[in-house]
Amino acid sequence: MEQKKVRQLVITGIREQARNTRSFDLRCSQGVDFRPGQVAILRVEGEEPAYFAFTSAPDDRDLEVLVKQKMGASSVIYDMCVGQQIELVGIAGHGFKLDDVRGRDLVFVAMGTGVAPLRSALRQVLKRKAEFGQLVVLYGARTPDDFCYRDETHDWEAAGVELRQVVSRPDGHDWSGPTGYVQSLLDHVLPDLESPVALICGSREMIEQTRERLGKMGFKPDEILTNY
């Protein structure tokens, strides 16, 4: 699904999240309807439009996106300041249909900045927590410095979310947690869940490996959700 209606967004807040990664709060004078997991198509002058998943819940006051400094629009937005404007030219992806999985245990599986669309879904679910079963977040990154939203993890856990993190390159970092890839965490949590549904986001390779692993663990195709 893609909506095409240009809206002006004003940057209202910027936070450092991880190495070369910042989150941007964006305010729109008009309403912006989207589903958790959908992606904003943003445009800045002189660059082609680029895709950034919403990290905010649909009814949050401001929109929020996660921007990793790379090239093109992402590089320009990364260096922008509060008060500057960005164009929202469309919304893409089908997102996560959370109403379809009410009553189920939700397992959020993310790698790197793939946490962005899953945070949107998690924020929405936490506002309706009684409608869902157990909530588990499995989050993998290259190094501890690559985890985003580290200031929120205590709040997630306080709300009853089971959080497990893993890094693939711990060398040179103060890290005592598990090492490897996020898919390896599935074996440790799924046996304890009665009716799990997995929401996954990351690289194409990670998604396919996770999908294959979940399939071998008995997941049906409609129990493995992606935002695209």
Side-chain angles (χ1 to χ4, degrees), residues 88-158:
L88 172 65
V89 298
I91 296 174
H94 53 67
F96 298 112
K97 298 179 181 179
L98 297 176
D99 286 341
D100 293 348
V101 293
R102 283 183 293 184
R104 306 290 295 270
D105 301 323
L106 303 184
V107 182
F108 301 83
V109 188
M111 182 182 76
T113 55
V115 74
L118 296 185
R119 178 184 181 259
S120 175
L122 180 61
R123 285 180 65 82
Q124 186 76 348
V125 167
L126 288 175
K127 295 178 182 185
R128 304 161 45 189
K129 192 169 181 296
E131 299 179 22
F132 301 91
Q134 295 187 60
L135 306 177
V136 180
V137 173
L138 307 180
Y139 187 12
R142 284 191 175 187
T143 76
D145 294 336
D146 294 310
F147 285 120
C148 299
Y149 298 107
R150 284 171 282 182
D151 60 332
E152 295 184 13
T153 55
H154 290 300
D155 292 336
W156 295 350
E157 292 176 311

Side-chain angles (χ1 to χ4, degrees), residues 34-49:
F34 69 94
R35 181 182 294 139
Q38 287 191 299
V39 175
I41 307 173
L42 302 182
R43 182 171 62 197
V44 291
E45 187 175 354
E47 300 291 346
E48 289 295 316

Side-chain angles (χ1 to χ4, degrees), residues 42-122:
L42 302 182
R43 182 171 62 197
V44 291
E45 187 175 354
E47 300 291 346
E48 289 295 316
Y51 291 69
F52 303 88
F54 291 109
T55 66
S56 50
D59 56 356
D60 286 347
R61 181 181 181 184
D62 286 349
L63 304 172
E64 184 177 332
V65 295
L66 201 58
V67 178
K68 187 175 181 67
Q69 188 181 35
K70 292 182 178 179
M71 62 183 69
S74 65
S75 180
V76 174
I77 294 173
Y78 184 86
D79 290 326
M80 293 178 77
C81 304
V82 170
Q84 291 187 280
Q85 294 189 356
I86 301 171
E87 287 186 324
L88 172 65
V89 298
I91 296 174
H94 53 67
F96 298 112
K97 298 179 181 179
L98 297 176
D99 286 341
D100 293 348
V101 293
R102 283 183 293 184
R104 306 290 295 270
D105 301 323
L106 303 184
V107 182
F108 301 83
V109 188
M111 182 182 76
T113 55
V115 74
L118 296 185
R119 178 184 181 259
S120 175
L122 180 61

Side-chain angles (χ1 to χ4, degrees), residues 149-215:
Y149 298 107
R150 284 171 282 182
D151 60 332
E152 295 184 13
T153 55
H154 290 300
D155 292 336
W156 295 350
E157 292 176 311
V161 177
E162 180 181 351
L163 172 66
R164 298 196 179 211
Q165 295 174 292
V166 61
V167 301
S168 59
R169 299 183 183 179
D171 296 345
H173 295 273
D174 181 18
W175 177 255
S176 59
T179 58
Y181 294 100
V182 68
Q183 303 93 301
S184 65
L185 298 177
L186 294 168
D187 298 332
H188 302 288
V189 300
L190 293 184
D192 298 327
L193 302 178
E194 293 184 5
S195 59
V197 172
L199 291 73
I200 56 179
C201 192
S203 67
R204 188 183 302 274
E205 181 182 18
M206 171 268 193
I207 290 174
E208 290 307 314
Q209 290 177 356
T210 303
R211 192 192 302 275
E212 181 180 0
R213 192 163 190 152
L214 289 170

